[in-house]
Each structure stands twice: as C-alpha cells, then as structure tokens.
Amino acid sequence: ADGIGLFRTEFQFLISATLPQRERQQRFYREVLDAAGDKPVIFRTLDVGGDKALPYLKDEGSEEENPAMGWRAIRLALDHDGLMKAQARALLEAAGGRTLNVMFPMVSEPWEFDQARALFEAQMAFLSSRKKQLPSRVRYGAMLEVPALAETLDILLPKLDFISIGTNDLTQFLFAADRAEPRLAERYDWLSPAILRFIRRVVRECKAHNVGVSVCGEMGGRPLEALALIGIGVERLSITPAAVGTIKAMVRSLDVGAANLMMEALLDRPVDKLRTAITDWAKEQQVEIG
Ligand code: PEP
Ligand code: MG
C-alpha cells in the first residue's frame, strides 16, 4: 500500500479501561509515524459516541435511540473540546518536523470543519509559544459521510486539503438504512445509480477545486465496487489491509479509459441490474475480479 488512508484514532480509546492521556496518545502516534516512514498516514480525530461508547465518558449518547445519527464524532468533539484539544496537541507534537495529515469525521456543515481546524491552529500557536517543534506541514481534511455536506462543497473545498468519502456511513444515510441491521445488509447495493452518481458528483467537484479526494469504507475493498469507483474517476482508495492484494491485481488488469466509458454510459442510462452489467463487462474485458 502507499500509506494509511484512515487511521481510526478511537481504537486506542475503545480498548483502554481509562481515558488515554495526552502523552500516551502522543507516543502511540509517533510510533505509527515512525513505522510508516515516508508513507503518509491520515489520522482521523476521535469518532466516538453513538454505538462506539466509551465506558469512562459519561453522557456521550449511548442511550440515544438513533446513535448513528446522534451526538457522535465531531459533534461530540466540538462540545467536549477538552478531549479534542488534548488529541490535537498529541498529534501535533508527535508529527514534529514531519507532515501531519488530519481529518475530521461526520462533518455536516462547513462551520464544523472551521471550528475543528481553528482548535488545531490554537494548539499550534500554543506549542510555538513554548518553542516546541511543529509539524513541517499540516494538511487538513474532512470525511464526507453525511450527504448534506455535498451541497456545500463550494463553501468547504477552498478551506481544506482533501476529502475522504466514507462509504459506510454515507450509504446508511443515503438509503436511510442502518448499517448494523442484518436484515438490510443485502437490500441496497453499493453498485446502485444513487450511490455511484452521488460519489461521481462529489469527485467531479473536488477535482474542479483541485482538492484531493479518496474513498474509504468497505466499498473500495471489493473488486467490482472498486472497479466502478475507478470508472467514475476515483484515483485513491483506502481499504482494509486484507484486500490490498486483490484490489491491486484488479487495477493492474483494468483499462481505466474503457472503465470510464462503460461507467459513464451505465450511469447516464442505468440498466435494471447494474451489478450484473458491470460483472459481464469485467469478464468480457478479462479484468481480475476474483
Ligand atoms: C465510513 O463511515 O465509511 C468510515 C470509513 O468510517 P467508520 O466505518 O469508522 O464509521
Ligand atoms: Mg464513518
């Protein structure tokens, strides 16, 4: 792989019996950056709350009826900004002298990104006043997983360095279908005009603003879905490590120009079964879809 597209920082919090203090977070982030060497790591700030409940943090929404749509991720982080400040400082110190890539989960409106970025910048000013070594560069990104954000990309894109489309949450919100509900798991297909047209539009808008865009979540780790994503212009996928070999084999056997033409035609005039049409095309073209 060429780097880590989504480092879920909440895991360290979820496996701890007590809140990991700033120094512990910092040591961990530094180890990750050391291990990655020259390859980029994108740290996602805490995505807790809702169903990712932290036992040592009270009132964080675990009693909510709709936790996925509740007080979680950046919503909780901006309200409880002590947690976010400590994490910002840990990340900034760990990345001293190097590039720090940081992104915020569940951004619904541009002001949430502005506040989160301002919080990081205030921590930078503090560290600078203490003569601490700062990152050589900080690149800021947002996850696009709440559909509303797609309507304000013209406002958001000039403010940031990259967007990562989180297909797990995005799909559940686009289809109003709980991602944890097994009875809905097979009901809506990632290879549907709704999802693919939505992502195509976001990718086009990001490219028009010269903002890097990638796709993360389970979708990109599946060969046919990855093929479709590449066909609509996606050039970066962040996938589960176990899928890297399979997806690279698929990509190496793919004629991207031909995939673009096929996907444009299919999305302009969708057929009944998109999955079947893409599978047939892949077989005909001898693309390695496993
Ligand atoms: C997503 O929602 O697609 C995503 C990558 O984040 P998570 O699965 O951690 O919610
Ligand atoms: Mg998500």
Side-chain angles (χ1 to χ4, degrees), residues 2 7 13 28 41 46 56 58 67 72 78-79 86 88 98 104 140 143 145 151 170 237 249 252 259:
D2 299 315
F7 188 91
F13 287 70
F28 183 45
V41 180
L46 277 185
Y56 43 80
K58 289 203 199 83
R72 53 172 282 215
L78 291 177
D79 291 350
R98 319 186 240 212
F104 308 118
Y140 292 96
M143 288 191 71
E145 35 189 2
E151 293 294 340
L170 178 64
L237 296 172
R252 276 202 296 260

Side-chain angles (χ1 to χ4, degrees), residues 8 44 47 52 72 105-106 143 145 166-170 179:
R8 291 177 162 101
R44 175 174 78 182
D47 185 5
K52 291 182 197 162
R72 53 172 282 215
M106 282 280 287
M143 288 191 71
E145 35 189 2
T167 52
N168 299 337
D169 276 310
L170 178 64
R179 68 195 249 194

Side-chain angles (χ1 to χ4, degrees), residues 210-224:
N210 264 323
V211 167
V213 55
S214 65
V215 168
C216 64
E218 297 307 310
M219 181 178 177
R222 300 167 50 140
L224 268 190

Side-chain angles (χ1 to χ4, degrees), residues 40-43 92 99-104 107 113-114 117 120-121 124 135-144 153 155-165 202-203 205-214 236:
V41 180
I42 299 180
F43 290 96
L92 290 163
T99 298
L100 173 65
N101 295 289
V102 65
M103 72 177 175
F104 308 118
V107 176
F113 173 82
D114 293 340
R117 181 179 177 144
F120 266 73
E121 281 168 357
M124 286 242 274
S136 50
R137 182 170 177 215
V138 183
R139 296 180 70 249
Y140 292 96
M143 288 191 71
L144 192 148
L153 284 177
I155 304 167
L156 180 72
L157 291 176
K159 302 168 187 267
L160 47 60
D161 300 293
F162 62 93
I163 287 277
S164 187
I165 303 173
V202 172
V203 168
E205 208 162 333
C206 289
K207 286 187 175 176
H209 280 83
N210 264 323
V211 167
V213 55
S214 65
R236 274 170 195 273

